[in-house]
Amino acid sequence: MNSRRSTRAILAIAAVAAGCASMSDQEASQKALQLMKASFSERGQAKLDRLDQDEAQRLCSKPPSHELSKETSARIEKENLASIRYPADGKLIGDWKSGERIAQNGQGKQFNDDPKRPSGANCYACHQLSRQEISFGTIGPSLYQYGKLRGTSEAIQRYTYGKVYNSQGFTACSNMPRFGHNGILTEQQMKDVTALLLDPESPVNK
Amino acid sequence: MNRSRRNALKTGGGAGLLAMLIAAGIVRPGDALAQQQWNQAAFNGKTLREALQALGAQSPVASDGVVIKVPEIAENGAVVPVAVESRIAGTQSITVLIEKNPLPLAASFEIPAGTEPNVSTRVKMGESSDVYALVKADGKFFFAKKEVKITIGGCGG
Amino acid sequence: MKRPLVRLGLRARLLAAGALIVLVPAAPSFSQSAVDEIAKYRQQLQDGNPAELWEARGEALWKTKRGPKNVSMEACDLGKGAGVVKGAYAELPRYFADADRVMDLETRLVHCMTTQQGFSFAEATKRPFGAGASRSDFEALAAWITSESKGVTMNVALAHPKEREAYQLGEKMFYFRGGPHDFACATCHGETGKRIRLQDLPNLTEKAGAQLAYTTWPAYRVSQGELRTFQWRLNDCYRQQRFPELKFTSDASIALTAFLAHNANGAAFNAPAIKR
Amino acid sequence: MADPMRIRVAERDGVVNVRILMSHEMETGQRKDSAGNLVPAHFIRNVVATHQGRTVLSAQWGTAVAKNPFLEFSFKGGKKGDKISVTWEDNKGEKRTDEATIG
């Protein structure tokens, strides 16, 4: 049934495309979205609405050759920065030990994950953090000695918590998930990750 | 039962008799398994010490004659290549044990005369651990060990 | 040098191990040596690839009479003529006039299973991927068919308008960010020299990376003890991207495959491989 | 029925190198399935390789041998045309024997 529907979709696309040599970029984007909507099925917590992009996702879905204008980047950053909600109790530093577990955990939000269990942040997938963990990725910069190098002033605390909450408030189209903005981590989890980065006792700062 | 088998292996009589029976067509090659035992006590040993005791190898000695080839770091514990070579004359068996596995004894190979004392296989490791190669030669036990670190790989999900 | 093995008590050994961790600082070059050691691990795995077990089963499946019409797949046209398997995978996906559609390997196999062997679409596609005793015919067939392209130069054409369209839409999909984590394929595979944990991430937007990646699937995954196809690789990437599930033999799946396969053109195909 | 083994043999100067791949789950008995139930142990316990009827290697395995086991060894005294036979038996009593000829 679904394959028939998707076949029809691609036939419709082909009928349009046959007329001209190639599609415009915007046409192609629209057709790709149609194609994807017909080619994915909902499973577990992953519904089809995950293919509905917000503005940042849409603007950031471009090859590196299509660099965003300064104005567009600034707009993405401004809007994302405004989305950050700081904890009502004003405390930004939680428990670094819990933060380490969150940094190691790559589960959460996948169609096979239990939505009742807390998500991880999987920081080590992309960042070096502590010296002990040799299995770390390099998509993001090394965060080893993050707090030792920057100190723990209130400004640094707010920047760090904010960056975890919504990275695109600081860098448009950052590869880093917007953990608070998109509801991946809870407030307490973000405090714990902030502690992992800033607490002098954390292995990150040893 | 185990003891009589060990005696048979010591004299070489068991294997020789079996070969004769196979050659005579009385026993088919597949039936060779019927002669084989499985050392349940050793495989069920929960610590290195328990497994070694059940193998009759309470106090093996470290030896450069046992060469163990394992990766220093394994990308995944599900498959860790292990090769063991014995340079000790009269090698009768080669055994692989993984100290921190829930059941340390992984595999044991009987090496008849004419077979090179050099075997290669792949094991599972639950976590980073020392891997031991135990060699029995002329009735005595020798060993070498090497640590293998198991890393967390992939995207983590 | 002889010393007894079981001499230290467990506690003493644990203390010794603990002391080691505290006292020995990690060398700055440790991560580089870790990478080197992992390269050795991978090298040690190359000899004796269990993918061969799938290849043998796949060849038997291809030649076995099956389905309501009780015919083998030996008349299946993978693009180079009926029954020609050698080199076929290195030219897929491609446009097939008899179906008026661009098809990748799995889609073409389903086409032959339904039109020639008489299976229903549902029956043919009920198990795209295996798990333990529940085995997938596609993984076995793909293992054998791809092994028949080993050493063949990748040559995926963009001659037909529908091939060009599939490529263009596949490229769009590659950069499409979505889901709660904002991930696109490009998030992990758009830059050269990056790793996730200790795994090297091929940059699929440039020739060398696309070639290295595409020509080494299918692969026996030691972490799963299964042979996994390129189709599976796409499905599992999307799972980890937090997307819904990519449908087997769907047009989006074919389009993305066409984009990545074409980018690998010029390289010698080198699978089934063995990977973590 | 279990899948056939893949047995590769190569002879050089009378030394025969044997490489075997076996198709087996090698369940440890400690893994849980998706429903949370313990999957019972299921693993090869004994392997015997013979050359012209003479045992050239015998092995006892536990659950720690990796899934789809690989085994490599060498012995002296083989020549082209000789037969190598390998048999495994698992803890459920299932057996499989396959042969290869030294080429």
Side-chain angles (χ1 to χ4, degrees), chain A residues 150-166:
Chain A
R150 290 169 181 80
T152 55
S153 67
E154 201 195 327
I156 288 294
Q157 288 185 30
R158 284 181 70 82
Y159 166 75
T160 304
Y161 185 95
K163 181 90 179 182
V164 172
Y165 193 105
N166 190 339

mmCIF file with all atom_site columns, all heavy atoms in Angstrom, chain A residues 150-166:
data_model
loop_
_atom_site.group_PDB
_atom_site.id
_atom_site.type_symbol
_atom_site.label_atom_id
_atom_site.label_alt_id
_atom_site.label_comp_id
_atom_site.label_asym_id
_atom_site.label_entity_id
_atom_site.label_seq_id
_atom_site.pdbx_PDB_ins_code
_atom_site.Cartn_x
_atom_site.Cartn_y
_atom_site.Cartn_z
_atom_site.occupancy
_atom_site.B_iso_or_equiv
_atom_site.pdbx_formal_charge
_atom_site.auth_seq_id
_atom_site.auth_comp_id
_atom_site.auth_asym_id
_atom_site.auth_atom_id
_atom_site.pdbx_PDB_model_num
ATOM 1   N N   . ARG A 1 150 ? 38.855 28.129 31.541 1.00 0.00 ? 150 ARG A N   1
ATOM 2   C CA  . ARG A 1 150 ? 37.928 29.262 31.458 1.00 0.00 ? 150 ARG A CA  1
ATOM 3   C C   . ARG A 1 150 ? 37.505 29.819 32.810 1.00 0.00 ? 150 ARG A C   1
ATOM 4   O O   . ARG A 1 150 ? 36.938 30.907 32.881 1.00 0.00 ? 150 ARG A O   1
ATOM 5   C CB  . ARG A 1 150 ? 36.660 28.848 30.684 1.00 0.00 ? 150 ARG A CB  1
ATOM 6   C CG  . ARG A 1 150 ? 36.900 28.614 29.214 1.00 0.00 ? 150 ARG A CG  1
ATOM 7   C CD  . ARG A 1 150 ? 35.686 27.954 28.574 1.00 0.00 ? 150 ARG A CD  1
ATOM 8   N NE  . ARG A 1 150 ? 35.903 27.691 27.155 1.00 0.00 ? 150 ARG A NE  1
ATOM 9   C CZ  . ARG A 1 150 ? 36.590 26.660 26.678 1.00 0.00 ? 150 ARG A CZ  1
ATOM 10  N NH1 . ARG A 1 150 ? 37.138 25.797 27.516 1.00 0.00 ? 150 ARG A NH1 1
ATOM 11  N NH2 . ARG A 1 150 ? 36.735 26.486 25.383 1.00 0.00 ? 150 ARG A NH2 1
ATOM 12  N N   . GLY A 1 151 ? 37.724 29.040 33.868 1.00 0.00 ? 151 GLY A N   1
ATOM 13  C CA  . GLY A 1 151 ? 37.231 29.476 35.170 1.00 0.00 ? 151 GLY A CA  1
ATOM 14  C C   . GLY A 1 151 ? 35.747 29.205 35.307 1.00 0.00 ? 151 GLY A C   1
ATOM 15  O O   . GLY A 1 151 ? 35.117 28.632 34.406 1.00 0.00 ? 151 GLY A O   1
ATOM 16  N N   . THR A 1 152 ? 35.180 29.609 36.448 1.00 0.00 ? 152 THR A N   1
ATOM 17  C CA  . THR A 1 152 ? 33.786 29.266 36.721 1.00 0.00 ? 152 THR A CA  1
ATOM 18  C C   . THR A 1 152 ? 32.975 30.510 37.051 1.00 0.00 ? 152 THR A C   1
ATOM 19  O O   . THR A 1 152 ? 32.068 30.492 37.883 1.00 0.00 ? 152 THR A O   1
ATOM 20  C CB  . THR A 1 152 ? 33.681 28.260 37.881 1.00 0.00 ? 152 THR A CB  1
ATOM 21  O OG1 . THR A 1 152 ? 34.366 28.818 39.009 1.00 0.00 ? 152 THR A OG1 1
ATOM 22  C CG2 . THR A 1 152 ? 34.306 26.928 37.522 1.00 0.00 ? 152 THR A CG2 1
ATOM 23  N N   . SER A 1 153 ? 33.310 31.610 36.410 1.00 0.00 ? 153 SER A N   1
ATOM 24  C CA  . SER A 1 153 ? 32.541 32.845 36.640 1.00 0.00 ? 153 SER A CA  1
ATOM 25  C C   . SER A 1 153 ? 31.085 32.627 36.242 1.00 0.00 ? 153 SER A C   1
ATOM 26  O O   . SER A 1 153 ? 30.764 31.697 35.503 1.00 0.00 ? 153 SER A O   1
ATOM 27  C CB  . SER A 1 153 ? 33.131 33.973 35.793 1.00 0.00 ? 153 SER A CB  1
ATOM 28  O OG  . SER A 1 153 ? 32.910 33.677 34.418 1.00 0.00 ? 153 SER A OG  1
ATOM 29  N N   . GLU A 1 154 ? 30.217 33.496 36.718 1.00 0.00 ? 154 GLU A N   1
ATOM 30  C CA  . GLU A 1 154 ? 28.803 33.361 36.391 1.00 0.00 ? 154 GLU A CA  1
ATOM 31  C C   . GLU A 1 154 ? 28.587 33.452 34.880 1.00 0.00 ? 154 GLU A C   1
ATOM 32  O O   . GLU A 1 154 ? 27.760 32.734 34.309 1.00 0.00 ? 154 GLU A O   1
ATOM 33  C CB  . GLU A 1 154 ? 27.983 34.435 37.114 1.00 0.00 ? 154 GLU A CB  1
ATOM 34  C CG  . GLU A 1 154 ? 26.522 34.013 37.220 1.00 0.00 ? 154 GLU A CG  1
ATOM 35  C CD  . GLU A 1 154 ? 25.604 35.171 37.582 1.00 0.00 ? 154 GLU A CD  1
ATOM 36  O OE1 . GLU A 1 154 ? 26.045 36.072 38.320 1.00 0.00 ? 154 GLU A OE1 1
ATOM 37  O OE2 . GLU A 1 154 ? 24.452 35.157 37.103 1.00 0.00 ? 154 GLU A OE2 1
ATOM 38  N N   . ALA A 1 155 ? 29.364 34.297 34.224 1.00 0.00 ? 155 ALA A N   1
ATOM 39  C CA  . ALA A 1 155 ? 29.229 34.448 32.767 1.00 0.00 ? 155 ALA A CA  1
ATOM 40  C C   . ALA A 1 155 ? 29.557 33.141 32.052 1.00 0.00 ? 155 ALA A C   1
ATOM 41  O O   . ALA A 1 155 ? 28.853 32.733 31.125 1.00 0.00 ? 155 ALA A O   1
ATOM 42  C CB  . ALA A 1 155 ? 30.155 35.567 32.278 1.00 0.00 ? 155 ALA A CB  1
ATOM 43  N N   . ILE A 1 156 ? 30.628 32.495 32.501 1.00 0.00 ? 156 ILE A N   1
ATOM 44  C CA  . ILE A 1 156 ? 31.019 31.216 31.891 1.00 0.00 ? 156 ILE A CA  1
ATOM 45  C C   . ILE A 1 156 ? 29.952 30.158 32.168 1.00 0.00 ? 156 ILE A C   1
ATOM 46  O O   . ILE A 1 156 ? 29.603 29.358 31.290 1.00 0.00 ? 156 ILE A O   1
ATOM 47  C CB  . ILE A 1 156 ? 32.399 30.764 32.429 1.00 0.00 ? 156 ILE A CB  1
ATOM 48  C CG1 . ILE A 1 156 ? 33.512 31.640 31.849 1.00 0.00 ? 156 ILE A CG1 1
ATOM 49  C CG2 . ILE A 1 156 ? 32.665 29.291 32.100 1.00 0.00 ? 156 ILE A CG2 1
ATOM 50  C CD1 . ILE A 1 156 ? 33.720 31.517 30.353 1.00 0.00 ? 156 ILE A CD1 1
ATOM 51  N N   . GLN A 1 157 ? 29.450 30.154 33.391 1.00 0.00 ? 157 GLN A N   1
ATOM 52  C CA  . GLN A 1 157 ? 28.390 29.196 33.729 1.00 0.00 ? 157 GLN A CA  1
ATOM 53  C C   . GLN A 1 157 ? 27.181 29.378 32.825 1.00 0.00 ? 157 GLN A C   1
ATOM 54  O O   . GLN A 1 157 ? 26.625 28.416 32.294 1.00 0.00 ? 157 GLN A O   1
ATOM 55  C CB  . GLN A 1 157 ? 27.952 29.366 35.193 1.00 0.00 ? 157 GLN A CB  1
ATOM 56  C CG  . GLN A 1 157 ? 28.973 28.880 36.204 1.00 0.00 ? 157 GLN A CG  1
ATOM 57  C CD  . GLN A 1 157 ? 28.431 28.956 37.622 1.00 0.00 ? 157 GLN A CD  1
ATOM 58  O OE1 . GLN A 1 157 ? 27.226 28.838 37.852 1.00 0.00 ? 157 GLN A OE1 1
ATOM 59  N NE2 . GLN A 1 157 ? 29.322 29.157 38.590 1.00 0.00 ? 157 GLN A NE2 1
ATOM 60  N N   . ARG A 1 158 ? 26.784 30.631 32.626 1.00 0.00 ? 158 ARG A N   1
ATOM 61  C CA  . ARG A 1 158 ? 25.590 30.897 31.799 1.00 0.00 ? 158 ARG A CA  1
ATOM 62  C C   . ARG A 1 158 ? 25.847 30.553 30.335 1.00 0.00 ? 158 ARG A C   1
ATOM 63  O O   . ARG A 1 158 ? 24.992 29.996 29.654 1.00 0.00 ? 158 ARG A O   1
ATOM 64  C CB  . ARG A 1 158 ? 25.156 32.365 31.929 1.00 0.00 ? 158 ARG A CB  1
ATOM 65  C CG  . ARG A 1 158 ? 24.438 32.653 33.234 1.00 0.00 ? 158 ARG A CG  1
ATOM 66  C CD  . ARG A 1 158 ? 23.993 34.099 33.334 1.00 0.00 ? 158 ARG A CD  1
ATOM 67  N NE  . ARG A 1 158 ? 22.894 34.434 32.426 1.00 0.00 ? 158 ARG A NE  1
ATOM 68  C CZ  . ARG A 1 158 ? 21.600 34.194 32.670 1.00 0.00 ? 158 ARG A CZ  1
ATOM 69  N NH1 . ARG A 1 158 ? 21.245 33.590 33.792 1.00 0.00 ? 158 ARG A NH1 1
ATOM 70  N NH2 . ARG A 1 158 ? 20.671 34.549 31.808 1.00 0.00 ? 158 ARG A NH2 1
ATOM 71  N N   . TYR A 1 159 ? 27.055 30.862 29.878 1.00 0.00 ? 159 TYR A N   1
ATOM 72  C CA  . TYR A 1 159 ? 27.392 30.525 28.490 1.00 0.00 ? 159 TYR A CA  1
ATOM 73  C C   . TYR A 1 159 ? 27.357 29.006 28.299 1.00 0.00 ? 159 TYR A C   1
ATOM 74  O O   . TYR A 1 159 ? 26.788 28.490 27.329 1.00 0.00 ? 159 TYR A O   1
ATOM 75  C CB  . TYR A 1 159 ? 28.776 31.068 28.124 1.00 0.00 ? 159 TYR A CB  1
ATOM 76  C CG  . TYR A 1 159 ? 29.322 30.468 26.843 1.00 0.00 ? 159 TYR A CG  1
ATOM 77  C CD1 . TYR A 1 159 ? 28.825 30.855 25.601 1.00 0.00 ? 159 TYR A CD1 1
ATOM 78  C CD2 . TYR A 1 159 ? 30.323 29.481 26.884 1.00 0.00 ? 159 TYR A CD2 1
ATOM 79  C CE1 . TYR A 1 159 ? 29.304 30.287 24.427 1.00 0.00 ? 159 TYR A CE1 1
ATOM 80  C CE2 . TYR A 1 159 ? 30.804 28.902 25.716 1.00 0.00 ? 159 TYR A CE2 1
ATOM 81  C CZ  . TYR A 1 159 ? 30.292 29.307 24.497 1.00 0.00 ? 159 TYR A CZ  1
ATOM 82  O OH  . TYR A 1 159 ? 30.762 28.735 23.339 1.00 0.00 ? 159 TYR A OH  1
ATOM 83  N N   . THR A 1 160 ? 27.945 28.268 29.249 1.00 0.00 ? 160 THR A N   1
ATOM 84  C CA  . THR A 1 160 ? 28.061 26.808 29.127 1.00 0.00 ? 160 THR A CA  1
ATOM 85  C C   . THR A 1 160 ? 26.682 26.155 29.154 1.00 0.00 ? 160 THR A C   1
ATOM 86  O O   . THR A 1 160 ? 26.348 25.330 28.299 1.00 0.00 ? 160 THR A O   1
ATOM 87  C CB  . THR A 1 160 ? 28.953 26.257 30.260 1.00 0.00 ? 160 THR A CB  1
ATOM 88  O OG1 . THR A 1 160 ? 30.214 26.932 30.215 1.00 0.00 ? 160 THR A OG1 1
ATOM 89  C CG2 . THR A 1 160 ? 29.173 24.761 30.116 1.00 0.00 ? 160 THR A CG2 1
ATOM 90  N N   . TYR A 1 161 ? 25.890 26.553 30.150 1.00 0.00 ? 161 TYR A N   1
ATOM 91  C CA  . TYR A 1 161 ? 24.534 25.995 30.250 1.00 0.00 ? 161 TYR A CA  1
ATOM 92  C C   . TYR A 1 161 ? 23.738 26.343 28.979 1.00 0.00 ? 161 TYR A C   1
ATOM 93  O O   . TYR A 1 161 ? 23.056 25.505 28.395 1.00 0.00 ? 161 TYR A O   1
ATOM 94  C CB  . TYR A 1 161 ? 23.827 26.544 31.497 1.00 0.00 ? 161 TYR A CB  1
ATOM 95  C CG  . TYR A 1 161 ? 22.464 25.923 31.747 1.00 0.00 ? 161 TYR A CG  1
ATOM 96  C CD1 . TYR A 1 161 ? 22.325 24.835 32.609 1.00 0.00 ? 161 TYR A CD1 1
ATOM 97  C CD2 . TYR A 1 161 ? 21.316 26.420 31.114 1.00 0.00 ? 161 TYR A CD2 1
ATOM 98  C CE1 . TYR A 1 161 ? 21.079 24.252 32.828 1.00 0.00 ? 161 TYR A CE1 1
ATOM 99  C CE2 . TYR A 1 161 ? 20.069 25.849 31.314 1.00 0.00 ? 161 TYR A CE2 1
ATOM 100 C CZ  . TYR A 1 161 ? 19.961 24.764 32.177 1.00 0.00 ? 161 TYR A CZ  1
ATOM 101 O OH  . TYR A 1 161 ? 18.722 24.191 32.388 1.00 0.00 ? 161 TYR A OH  1
ATOM 102 N N   . GLY A 1 162 ? 23.896 27.565 28.545 1.00 0.00 ? 162 GLY A N   1
ATOM 103 C CA  . GLY A 1 162 ? 23.163 28.034 27.364 1.00 0.00 ? 162 GLY A CA  1
ATOM 104 C C   . GLY A 1 162 ? 23.577 27.296 26.099 1.00 0.00 ? 162 GLY A C   1
ATOM 105 O O   . GLY A 1 162 ? 22.745 26.948 25.266 1.00 0.00 ? 162 GLY A O   1
ATOM 106 N N   . LYS A 1 163 ? 24.860 27.009 25.986 1.00 0.00 ? 163 LYS A N   1
ATOM 107 C CA  . LYS A 1 163 ? 25.369 26.308 24.811 1.00 0.00 ? 163 LYS A CA  1
ATOM 108 C C   . LYS A 1 163 ? 24.796 24.882 24.759 1.00 0.00 ? 163 LYS A C   1
ATOM 109 O O   . LYS A 1 163 ? 24.454 24.385 23.680 1.00 0.00 ? 163 LYS A O   1
ATOM 110 C CB  . LYS A 1 163 ? 26.897 26.259 24.879 1.00 0.00 ? 163 LYS A CB  1
ATOM 111 C CG  . LYS A 1 163 ? 27.560 25.570 23.714 1.00 0.00 ? 163 LYS A CG  1
ATOM 112 C CD  . LYS A 1 163 ? 27.884 26.532 22.589 1.00 0.00 ? 163 LYS A CD  1
ATOM 113 C CE  . LYS A 1 163 ? 28.571 25.807 21.439 1.00 0.00 ? 163 LYS A CE  1
ATOM 114 N NZ  . LYS A 1 163 ? 28.940 26.699 20.352 1.00 0.00 ? 163 LYS A NZ  1
ATOM 115 N N   . VAL A 1 164 ? 24.696 24.248 25.942 1.00 0.00 ? 164 VAL A N   1
ATOM 116 C CA  . VAL A 1 164 ? 24.104 22.912 25.984 1.00 0.00 ? 164 VAL A CA  1
ATOM 117 C C   . VAL A 1 164 ? 22.613 23.010 25.656 1.00 0.00 ? 164 VAL A C   1
ATOM 118 O O   . VAL A 1 164 ? 22.072 22.182 24.918 1.00 0.00 ? 164 VAL A O   1
ATOM 119 C CB  . VAL A 1 164 ? 24.327 22.261 27.374 1.00 0.00 ? 164 VAL A CB  1
ATOM 120 C CG1 . VAL A 1 164 ? 23.560 20.948 27.500 1.00 0.00 ? 164 VAL A CG1 1
ATOM 121 C CG2 . VAL A 1 164 ? 25.818 22.028 27.624 1.00 0.00 ? 164 VAL A CG2 1
ATOM 122 N N   . TYR A 1 165 ? 21.966 24.045 26.161 1.00 0.00 ? 165 TYR A N   1
ATOM 123 C CA  . TYR A 1 165 ? 20.524 24.211 25.962 1.00 0.00 ? 165 TYR A CA  1
ATOM 124 C C   . TYR A 1 165 ? 20.198 24.443 24.486 1.00 0.00 ? 165 TYR A C   1
ATOM 125 O O   . TYR A 1 165 ? 19.309 23.815 23.924 1.00 0.00 ? 165 TYR A O   1
ATOM 126 C CB  . TYR A 1 165 ? 20.025 25.396 26.795 1.00 0.00 ? 165 TYR A CB  1
ATOM 127 C CG  . TYR A 1 165 ? 18.515 25.468 26.898 1.00 0.00 ? 165 TYR A CG  1
ATOM 128 C CD1 . TYR A 1 165 ? 17.868 25.100 28.079 1.00 0.00 ? 165 TYR A CD1 1
ATOM 129 C CD2 . TYR A 1 165 ? 17.736 25.904 25.824 1.00 0.00 ? 165 TYR A CD2 1
ATOM 130 C CE1 . TYR A 1 165 ? 16.491 25.145 28.181 1.00 0.00 ? 165 TYR A CE1 1
ATOM 131 C CE2 . TYR A 1 165 ? 16.362 25.948 25.906 1.00 0.00 ? 165 TYR A CE2 1
ATOM 132 C CZ  . TYR A 1 165 ? 15.737 25.575 27.090 1.00 0.00 ? 165 TYR A CZ  1
ATOM 133 O OH  . TYR A 1 165 ? 14.375 25.613 27.185 1.00 0.00 ? 165 TYR A OH  1
ATOM 134 N N   . ASN A 1 166 ? 20.943 25.352 23.876 1.00 0.00 ? 166 ASN A N   1
ATOM 135 C CA  . ASN A 1 166 ? 20.677 25.645 22.464 1.00 0.00 ? 166 ASN A CA  1
ATOM 136 C C   . ASN A 1 166 ? 21.942 26.172 21.795 1.00 0.00 ? 166 ASN A C   1
ATOM 137 O O   . ASN A 1 166 ? 22.211 27.372 21.770 1.00 0.00 ? 166 ASN A O   1
ATOM 138 C CB  . ASN A 1 166 ? 19.540 26.661 22.316 1.00 0.00 ? 166 ASN A CB  1
ATOM 139 C CG  . ASN A 1 166 ? 19.084 26.782 20.869 1.00 0.00 ? 166 ASN A CG  1
ATOM 140 O OD1 . ASN A 1 166 ? 19.832 26.438 19.947 1.00 0.00 ? 166 ASN A OD1 1
ATOM 141 N ND2 . ASN A 1 166 ? 17.871 27.259 20.655 1.00 0.00 ? 166 ASN A ND2 1
#
